[in-house]
Amino acid sequence: DSNLQKVNQAAASTKQVLEDLTALSKDLQDISGAAQDAIQAVKTILDTIAGHTDEINSIQKHLTNASSKLTEATEDLQEAIKDYQDGNTTEAISKLTDAVSALNEASGELNQALLELQKLMNDQDVKDALQNAVDALQKSADDIQKALQSLRKNLEQLGGDLSKVDLSFDTLGDGYREEGDRLYAAVGGISHQLERLGDNLSDMTS
């Protein structure tokens, strides 16, 4: 009975994580939309600035990469939610980890662009042209970092909740064995995927 309770508790907890992820997915769409607007605004202004060709090309590249990874993260999170709703737990975990990884990369690209923009803005004329757009970009970068931390927390919570369950039982019938197998695969998947993220994730969230 105790282990059955744990299975039920884990199922309830993963349901809560799913609800949290669904809300976060909507937030991420808004955050991503604002960030894409901010990225485009900065890129448009950079196109009007004379000189500083190498610096501007580098910044543009980072902004383009950030934009691409933001789109990828948003789509991966939506797919993860759909997979989980369809009962494809391991695939959902894989997609969720892909979303974390893509968002992590987007954050890194934005931070690098901002660092290079600050150097470029040592030129007062450039600073005057870019300041408001860069401020908006910085806010988006901060929002993305918060979303990244929330996503990682949800992924780790999912792994922690499932790992508490003793999945070795075989006396509860085929239905519970099947659920146990599903949860076991999910735990293994989370452990593998969290390891896959490695130092990049911890660097961005520390």
Side-chain angles (χ1 to χ4, degrees), residues 35-49 56 59-60 63 110 113-114 117 120-121 129-138:
Q36 299 285 13
D37 289 345
I39 287 169
Q40 190 54 52
V42 171
K43 291 180 78 170
T44 299
I45 295 169
L46 287 174
D47 286 339
T48 69
I49 294 172
I56 288 174
I59 294 166
Q60 294 274 31
L63 291 174
L110 271 185
L114 283 163
L117 279 164
L120 186 63
M121 289 165 67
L130 275 172
Q131 188 66 64
N132 289 339
V134 169
D135 287 346
L137 190 66
Q138 181 64 62

Side-chain angles (χ1 to χ4, degrees), residues 27 30-32 34-36 38-39 42 107 110-111 114 118 131-147:
D27 289 344
D30 292 340
I31 291 167
S32 179
Q36 299 285 13
I39 287 169
V42 171
S107 182
L110 271 185
N111 285 339
L114 283 163
Q118 291 301 330
Q131 188 66 64
N132 289 339
V134 169
D135 287 346
L137 190 66
Q138 181 64 62
K139 182 184 183 305
S140 287
D142 293 342
D143 289 342
I144 288 166
Q145 186 65 22
K146 290 173 188 173

Side-chain angles (χ1 to χ4, degrees), residues 22-72:
T22 302
L24 183 57
S25 177
K26 293 175 183 175
D27 289 344
L28 184 57
Q29 288 180 60
D30 292 340
I31 291 167
S32 179
Q36 299 285 13
D37 289 345
I39 287 169
Q40 190 54 52
V42 171
K43 291 180 78 170
T44 299
I45 295 169
L46 287 174
D47 286 339
T48 69
I49 294 172
H52 305 286
T53 305
D54 290 343
E55 298 98 314
I56 288 174
N57 285 342
S58 177
I59 294 166
Q60 294 274 31
K61 181 180 176 182
H62 289 302
L63 291 174
T64 298
N65 290 343
S67 177
S68 174
K69 287 299 176 181
L70 271 174
T71 300
E72 192 178 312

Side-chain angles (χ1 to χ4, degrees), residues 96-171:
L96 179 56
T97 311
D98 288 344
V100 174
S101 183
L103 199 58
N104 183 58
E105 290 183 57
S107 182
E109 293 283 1
L110 271 185
N111 285 339
Q112 186 58 40
L114 283 163
L115 189 67
E116 293 180 20
L117 279 164
Q118 291 301 330
K119 292 179 182 176
L120 186 63
M121 289 165 67
N122 285 331
D123 181 326
Q124 188 60 47
D125 290 338
V126 173
K127 182 176 182 180
D128 291 343
L130 275 172
Q131 188 66 64
N132 289 339
V134 169
D135 287 346
L137 190 66
Q138 181 64 62
K139 182 184 183 305
S140 287
D142 293 342
D143 289 342
I144 288 166
Q145 186 65 22
K146 290 173 188 173
L148 175 60
Q149 290 169 346
S150 295
L151 259 184
R152 188 185 185 196
K153 180 182 174 185
N154 278 317
L155 184 61
E156 290 177 337
Q157 183 182 338
L158 195 58
D161 290 333
L162 296 180
S163 65
K164 295 172 187 173
V165 182
D166 175 9
L167 301 172
S168 61
F169 54 92
D170 11 77
T171 59

